[in-house]
Amino acid sequence: GELIEEHRDLERMVDDLRTEPTEDRLLAFSHRLRVHIRKEENDLFQFAQQSLPAETLAAVGKLLDERVVRICL
């Protein structure tokens, strides 16, 4: 849903920064990223911590760490 679409938007913004980096684009990206991270922290992760057993959270954390795409501009 919404969070996945935000991820796609952030990926597009990174592509734009790579091809035509500007201060305005960087500021827009950093603002959008900050808002998105807060949403994940306050909603998604809090819900997961309250709903899933510790073993499941640990397994998911390990998978995320293995599969995360590290983005470096």
Side-chain angles (χ1 to χ4, degrees), residues 4-5 10 13 20-21 23 25 27-28 30 32-33 35 38-39 43 50 55 58-59 62 68-69:
I4 292 173
E5 184 58 36
L10 288 164
M13 293 177 90
E20 191 178 337
E23 183 179 355
R25 283 184 174 177
L27 291 172
S30 60
R32 175 108 30 115
L33 180 61
V35 169
R38 295 298 168 256
K39 189 182 297 183
D43 298 336
Q50 293 171 350
E55 303 82 34
K62 185 176 184 220
V68 69
V69 175

Side-chain angles (χ1 to χ4, degrees), residues 47-59:
F47 175 77
Q49 287 175 333
Q50 293 171 350
S51 304
L52 300 172
E55 303 82 34
T56 302
L57 290 172

Side-chain angles (χ1 to χ4, degrees), residues 14-25:
V14 167
D15 288 340
D16 290 343
L17 279 167
R18 284 184 174 139
T19 58
E20 191 178 337
T22 67
E23 183 179 355
D24 288 340
R25 283 184 174 177

